[in-house]
Amino acid sequence: MKVFTVSATNVSLTSATASPATISSYGASVVTVNVSGASSASPVTVNFSSTCATAGKAVLSPTSITVTGTSASTTYQDKGCAATDRISASLSGTSQQKQVDLVVAAPIAQSLEFVSASPDKICLAGSGCEISSKVSFKLKDQYNNPITNRTISFSLDIPNVATLGSTSLPTEASGVVTGSVTAKATPTPVRVRAQVADDPTLSTVSN
């Protein structure tokens, strides 16, 4: 006895679109791929993926659809992609694939907050207590989410009374950036000023 398998050999993906094609940070878009040749007698499966979704910075829902008509759609929800994301639609069991680029805007920096200084008091060299402190700040966007990989500049409110470990550093995944300050020979209060490097209007000072 011979077993025959009937497949939808004439099915193809013809185009893919994103609507809208540009979204704000944490926005959403509907991605649609057009399908030719599918029917209730010959259903096919379309799978969706993207660079940011793979990295956990976006969500596609659903990621797989059984198609009997002329199109398949999924909802793209940004989770901090902040880049042009390439979304791929592929036909299961074949090498067919269509791609569309979605422009995802970077989050807007809204606030820079002083987090902590550890320790919060330092002493002159040779005095027997800590001479350096780790000073942390946190950058947040308009949705109160942390902003990663944004350069923060450091300076002192009184120049030359202490030494900064670095004058600029990028924020971490948590939105936090940590610099260091070391006492010199002058006994005086000193505060570290942090400022978003590309937005001077966002700044704050340590305690």
Side-chain angles (χ1 to χ4, degrees), residues 11-180:
V11 177
S12 62
L13 302 179
T14 58
S15 63
T17 58
S19 181
T22 300
I23 60 174
S24 60
S25 59
Y26 301 100
S29 180
V30 176
V31 179
T32 302
V33 60
N34 291 322
V35 183
S36 174
S39 67
S40 56
S42 301
V44 294
T45 300
V46 175
N47 302 307
F48 292 96
S49 63
S50 86
T51 303
C52 282
T54 300
K57 294 182 178 181
V59 173
L60 291 164
S61 180
T63 56
S64 183
I65 305 172
T66 298
V67 182
T68 58
T70 59
S71 67
S73 296
T74 186
T75 299
Y76 179 102
Q77 180 67 55
D78 176 44
K79 297 294 182 182
C81 179
T84 297
D85 195 7
R86 175 151 292 182
I87 303 163
S88 299
S90 60
L91 196 58
S92 186
T94 75
S95 60
Q96 289 194 50
Q97 188 178 81
K98 289 294 179 181
Q99 297 177 325
V100 60
D101 288 341
L102 176 65
V103 179
V104 184
I108 300 171
Q110 191 73 38
S111 66
L112 181 62
E113 304 170 356
F114 168 65
V115 176
S116 65
S118 180
D120 60 0
K121 292 181 180 180
I122 56 177
C123 304
L124 303 182
S127 60
C129 66
E130 291 285 344
I131 64 170
S132 295
S133 178
K134 299 289 186 182
V135 184
S136 298
F137 302 88
K138 187 169 187 176
L139 185 64
K140 297 180 180 180
D141 66 14
Q142 70 269 39
Y143 303 108
N144 211 36
N145 294 310
I147 297 180
T148 184
N149 200 33
R150 195 78 169 267
T151 301
I152 305 298
S153 301
F154 301 111
S155 60
L156 300 175
D157 62 340
I158 304 175
N160 301 319
V161 298
T163 301
L164 291 169
S166 178
T167 56
S168 65
L169 289 169
T171 54
E172 301 171 354
S174 61
V176 173
V177 60
T178 301
S180 65

